[in-house]
Amino acid sequence: MKLYLAGPEVFLPDAADIGKVKRELCRRHGFTGLFPLDNESDPVDGGSLSRTIFAGNIAMLDEADAILANLTPFRGASADAGTVFEVGYGYAQGKRVFGYSNVRTSFVERVQRLVGGGLEQGPDGRRYAADGLAVEEFDRFDNLMIAEALLASGANVVLPLVASADPWRDTRVFEQTLAVIRDTVGTPTRFVIAR
Amino acid sequence: MKLYLAGPEVFLPDAADIGKVKRELCRRHGFTGLFPLDNESDPVDGGSLSRTIFAGNIAMLDEADAILANLTPFRGASADAGTVFEVGYGYAQGKRVFGYSNVRTSFVERVQRLVGGGLEQGPDGRRYAADGLAVEEFDRFDNLMIAEALLASGANVVLPLVASADPWRDTRVFEQTLAVIRDTVGTPTRFVIAR
């Protein structure tokens, strides 16, 4: 079973090393890890590097049987945008999408910290942050589109028991997620979303 | 042609009104707008409200012929996570994805502002923000997965000439994007990504 290893670690200076560690952990758990490496591509056919990386990632996503996403919040309240795109992409193909985060603060907490100020109850029953926009309070780890796609795939986001000292490089929760995937793929998903 | 109107305006207290305006603008330009309304659903079949909204959005995405996404940066350097998920979802289905933003600051500028500090050149040639992670410098409006999916669909992200006074409610750039879509859908895309 091939897992596309989505996540913002491609932006680390030691991305290649982390990719190696992650692929080796996949192997030990009986999976093949496909790790997108932003910085090892050269533009092809006169195209831009950006397009080349995109095409490479899309080809790798198409090859994968499932997506394993590092959903650690990245430069904002939510996961890395590229990772989220890939979770949506894989889910649309009928693949299971799995995810973990090395940070366990709640979505509401992260929004509040980022926006500043408190939350105010609106006349529609929703609570609004200081930016005048509602905060999803569904006890989900991130935006519901991500969270529910994971739940529909059979497992919730995997979180650490205690905060990690190096959330960008720690692979312990990643490894626990591999065990969750192994236990999950053999069983039917909890509910079926019409596709 | 049915357009799924993805965007964070579902989090506004007057989301329903904005949905009406957007749908009416779609009608005037010869499109049918499908607007996801987070706050008008009730849980069905004993499921959670979160799952109900998700299932409703997925059904609407499946019904759409193309995606029109409001990519205005939302609580971070990138677009709203739910919107990004939907762009990836639609793109995987072979649908064209279009997008606009009511804010025209560059991606690099937004990352710098959010993270704080300057940018430093790494030994790999990439520039790194103060959080120790690289910044994509491809002259794209957001993460390359989003930006390239739009370009592969035939049009770049549509931006305002001048900053909008009310970026969450201004529909002028949205309307310009409808004209771009009308001009684009009749022509082949610039390049084909294997799916």
Side-chain angles (χ1 to χ4, degrees):
Chain A
M1 186 175 182
K2 292 178 186 172
L3 297 176
Y4 181 89
L5 306 178
E9 46 271 270
V10 290
F11 302 122
L12 288 169
D14 49 342
D17 296 335
I18 290 158
K20 258 183 222 164
V21 171
K22 283 191 147 187
R23 279 196 302 264
E24 171 58 20
L25 287 170
C26 284
R27 199 193 55 73
R28 273 192 235 160
H29 285 264
F31 299 109
T32 302
L34 305 177
F35 188 75
L37 259 185
D38 266 7
N39 49 353
E40 286 197 347
S41 310
D42 285 309
V44 288
D45 301 333
S48 66
L49 177 56
S50 175
R51 188 202 290 181
T52 303
I53 295 170
F54 176 72
N57 289 357
I58 291 289
M60 216 178 238
L61 281 161
D62 290 344
E63 191 190 339
D65 301 301
I67 315 298
L68 169 45
N70 177 353
L71 299 172
T72 305
F74 180 73
R75 292 174 179 166
S78 287
D80 163 52
T83 302
V84 175
F85 177 99
E86 292 166 348
V87 170
Y89 186 95
Y91 189 75
Q93 294 182 316
K95 294 169 184 172
R96 295 204 194 197
V97 293
F98 300 97
Y100 70 96
S101 163
N102 280 337
V103 166
R104 54 172 292 136
T105 49
S106 78
F107 189 35
V108 175
E109 199 181 329
R110 297 197 306 269
V111 170
Q112 259 198 282
R113 200 178 295 175
L114 188 92
V115 174
L119 297 180
E120 263 187 43
Q121 188 84 21
D124 59 3
R126 299 192 294 180
R127 286 208 295 170
Y128 288 81
D131 57 6
L133 292 128
V135 183
E136 288 181 358
E137 293 189 289
F138 297 123
D139 194 26
R140 299 287 183 261
F141 184 71
D142 204 323
N143 182 290
L144 73 86
M145 295 306 290
I146 307 166
E148 292 294 335
L150 260 62
L151 288 172
S153 300
N156 210 335
V157 62
V158 182
L159 300 174
L161 275 176
V162 289
S164 171
D166 188 354
W168 297 120
R169 290 173 179 85
D170 197 325
T171 52
R172 286 175 297 178
V173 180
F174 170 79
E175 188 167 6
Q176 283 161 5
T177 312
L178 291 173
V180 167
I181 296 174
R182 204 184 41 211
D183 292 344
T184 306
V185 287
T187 60
T189 52
R190 287 197 226 168
F191 62 101
V192 173
I193 294 293
R195 286 200 181 89
Chain B
M1 185 174 183
K2 291 178 188 173
L3 297 176
Y4 181 89
L5 306 178
E9 46 272 270
V10 290
F11 302 121
L12 289 169
D14 50 341
D17 296 336
I18 290 159
K20 260 184 220 162
V21 171
K22 283 192 146 184
R23 280 197 302 263
E24 171 59 20
L25 287 169
C26 284
R27 201 193 54 74
R28 274 192 233 161
H29 285 263
F31 297 109
T32 302
L34 305 177
F35 188 75
L37 259 185
D38 267 7
N39 50 352
E40 287 196 345
S41 309
D42 285 308
V44 286
D45 300 334
S48 66
L49 177 57
S50 175
R51 187 201 291 181
T52 303
I53 295 170
F54 175 72
N57 289 358
I58 291 288
M60 215 178 237
L61 282 160
D62 289 344
E63 190 191 341
D65 301 301
I67 314 297
L68 169 44
N70 177 353
L71 298 171
T72 305
F74 180 73
R75 294 175 178 165
S78 287
D80 163 52
T83 302
V84 175
F85 178 98
E86 292 166 348
V87 170
Y89 186 95
Y91 189 73
Q93 294 183 315
K95 294 169 184 174
R96 295 205 194 198
V97 293
F98 300 98
Y100 70 97
S101 163
N102 280 337
V103 166
R104 57 173 290 135
T105 49
S106 78
F107 189 34
V108 176
E109 200 181 330
R110 297 196 307 269
V111 170
Q112 261 198 281
R113 200 177 295 173
L114 187 91
V115 174
L119 296 181
E120 263 186 44
Q121 188 85 21
D124 58 3
R126 300 192 293 180
R127 286 207 295 170
Y128 287 80
D131 57 5
L133 292 127
V135 183
E136 287 182 357
E137 292 190 288
F138 297 123
D139 194 27
R140 299 287 184 261
F141 184 71
D142 205 324
N143 182 289
L144 72 86
M145 295 306 291
I146 306 166
E148 293 294 334
L150 260 63
L151 289 172
S153 301
N156 210 334
V157 62
V158 182
L159 299 175
L161 275 176
V162 288
S164 172
D166 187 355
W168 297 119
R169 289 173 179 86
D170 197 326
T171 53
R172 286 175 297 178
V173 180
F174 170 79
E175 188 166 8
Q176 283 162 6
T177 312
L178 291 172
V180 168
I181 296 175
R182 205 184 39 212
D183 293 345
T184 307
V185 287
T187 60
T189 53
R190 288 193 225 173
F191 64 101
V192 174
I193 294 292
R195 288 199 182 88

